[in-house]
């Protein structure tokens, strides 16, 4: 079964900490995405990547960075976590011919 | 700029009845794709159905159909014969098909199926 795996289901971090959210896919997909989901706002795109070492800003990149050193892994980095980054983070991947995304199960991050 | 609007924060439907979830979109692109995803309480997003902007027929996948009205820029999801397991959040989404695979999502509609 194809999979997108996010390393943590729940995470609690302190304000100012550097936070790494990891996402791994086993489908050899070219495209990978990070979204955050907040009630009433739907999913908003943070960053995406079309290829190894390649990244593009989404709609809300401020306060975040990403890394894609290998095709299967796409990491989201919160350089200095703040309380307004408390959210559900969803990773997704797709191939060049896919219609839809395959999503991971999400990481619920709480910054205290 | 592209935009997806879902105006129904919550919907109720009786089991075995049909329900329509509304979605309107705004884009100046000619080639785009429209999607619906389901998110049960477990949190995982599940791809349901896809409609391309040039597809003349409405997409169908089992009990799901997408009522695509291009001139009105609407892409409503119709679920026939609702089941208790259909209770979930539903998101409408749109992707620019001309380059890249960036997808934007609506705010979602929570569907409650009553026994």
């Amino acid at each position: 079964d194809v999979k997108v795996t996010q390393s943590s289901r729940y995470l609690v971090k302190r304000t100012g900490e550097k936070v790494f959210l990891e996402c791994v896919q086993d489908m050899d997909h070219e495209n990978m995405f990070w979204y955050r989901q907040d009630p009433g706002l739907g999913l908003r795109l943070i960053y995406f990547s079309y290829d190894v070492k390649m990244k593009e800003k989404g709609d809300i990149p401020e306060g975040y960075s990403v890394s894609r050193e290998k095709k299967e892994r796409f990491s989201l980095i919160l350089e200095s976590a703040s309380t307004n980054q408390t959210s559900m983070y969803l990773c997704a991947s797709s191939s060049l011919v896919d219609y839809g995304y395959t999503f991971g199960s999400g990481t619920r991050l709480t910054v205290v | 700029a592209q935009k997806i609007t879902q105006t129904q924060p919550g919907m109720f439907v009786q089991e075995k009845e049909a329900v329509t979830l509304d979605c309107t979109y705004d884009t100046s692109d000619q080639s785009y794709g429209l999607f619906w995803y389901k998110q049960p309480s477990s949190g995982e997003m599940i791809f349901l159905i896809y409609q391309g902007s040039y597809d003349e027929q409405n997409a169908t996948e089992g009990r799901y159909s997408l009522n695509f009205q291009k001139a009105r820029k609407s892409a409503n999801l119709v679920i026939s014969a609702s089941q208790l397991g259909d209770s979930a959040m539903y998101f409408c989404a749109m992707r620019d098909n001309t380059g890249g695979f960036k997808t934007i999502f609506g705010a979602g509609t929570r569907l409650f199926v009553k026994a």
Side-chain angles (χ1 to χ4, degrees):
Chain A
D1 215 9
V2 295
K3 261 191 182 166
V4 176
T5 303
Q6 294 184 231
S7 53
S8 304
R9 189 82 171 102
Y10 299 95
L11 213 51
V12 179
K13 295 292 181 182
R14 295 199 178 276
T15 302
E17 275 192 76
K18 191 168 186 175
V19 181
F20 292 86
L21 303 184
E22 306 287 347
C23 176
V24 178
Q25 50 97 0
D26 63 1
M27 299 162 283
D28 202 36
H29 281 173
E30 293 81 5
N31 307 315
M32 296 188 76
F33 307 84
W34 275 106
Y35 286 86
R36 64 175 282 177
Q37 181 181 4
D38 300 288
L41 297 177
L43 280 70
R44 292 179 291 167
L45 182 63
I46 305 171
Y47 268 96
F48 57 104
S49 169
Y50 296 147
D51 202 351
V52 176
K53 296 192 185 295
M54 178 275 180
K55 60 187 179 186
E56 291 281 346
K57 291 181 181 180
D59 299 317
I60 51 165
E62 296 78 18
Y64 303 95
S65 63
V66 289
S67 171
R68 194 167 181 198
E69 295 296 318
K70 294 184 178 181
K71 190 176 186 180
E72 66 270 18
R73 186 180 295 270
F74 193 36
S75 303
L76 180 69
I77 303 154
L78 286 66
E79 297 290 343
S80 177
S82 63
T83 54
N84 62 13
Q85 292 178 310
T86 291
S87 186
M88 170 70 89
Y89 289 87
L90 291 165
C91 176
S93 72
S94 71
S95 75
L96 293 176
V97 297
D98 273 346
Y99 285 141
Y101 290 169
T102 302
F103 278 89
S105 53
T107 295
R108 186 166 292 281
L109 173 68
T110 303
V111 182
V112 297
Chain B
Q2 294 183 327
K3 189 178 179 183
I4 292 279
T5 303
Q6 294 179 254
T7 58
Q8 306 154 313
M11 288 277 289
F12 287 89
V13 65
Q14 196 67 42
E15 194 179 9
K16 299 180 186 174
E17 291 186 352
V19 63
T20 298
L21 306 185
D22 293 341
C23 173
T24 58
Y25 62 92
D26 191 17
T27 182
S28 56
D29 296 324
Q30 298 301 309
S31 178
Y32 52 89
L34 296 157
F35 303 79
W36 278 91
Y37 287 85
K38 173 184 179 182
Q39 187 181 43
S41 55
S42 58
E44 195 153 343
M45 296 279 283
I46 302 165
F47 165 63
L48 293 179
I49 195 167
Y50 168 82
Q51 177 87 40
S53 58
Y54 293 120
D55 295 340
E56 294 184 354
Q57 303 262 9
N58 284 343
T60 60
E61 289 286 346
R63 294 186 299 111
Y64 303 108
S65 61
L66 198 153
N67 184 0
F68 180 46
Q69 298 187 42
K70 195 170 183 177
R72 298 178 64 181
K73 293 190 174 179
S74 75
N76 298 339
L77 178 70
V78 180
I79 306 175
S80 62
S82 297
Q83 302 172 355
L84 294 178
D86 294 335
S87 293
M89 279 290 284
Y90 289 83
F91 292 95
C92 181
M94 177 170 63
R95 182 185 72 192
D96 168 16
N97 280 350
T98 57
F101 289 79
K102 177 181 167 181
T103 299
I104 61 167
F105 288 78
T109 296
R110 183 167 291 282
L111 179 66
F112 300 91
V113 180
K114 299 182 288 184

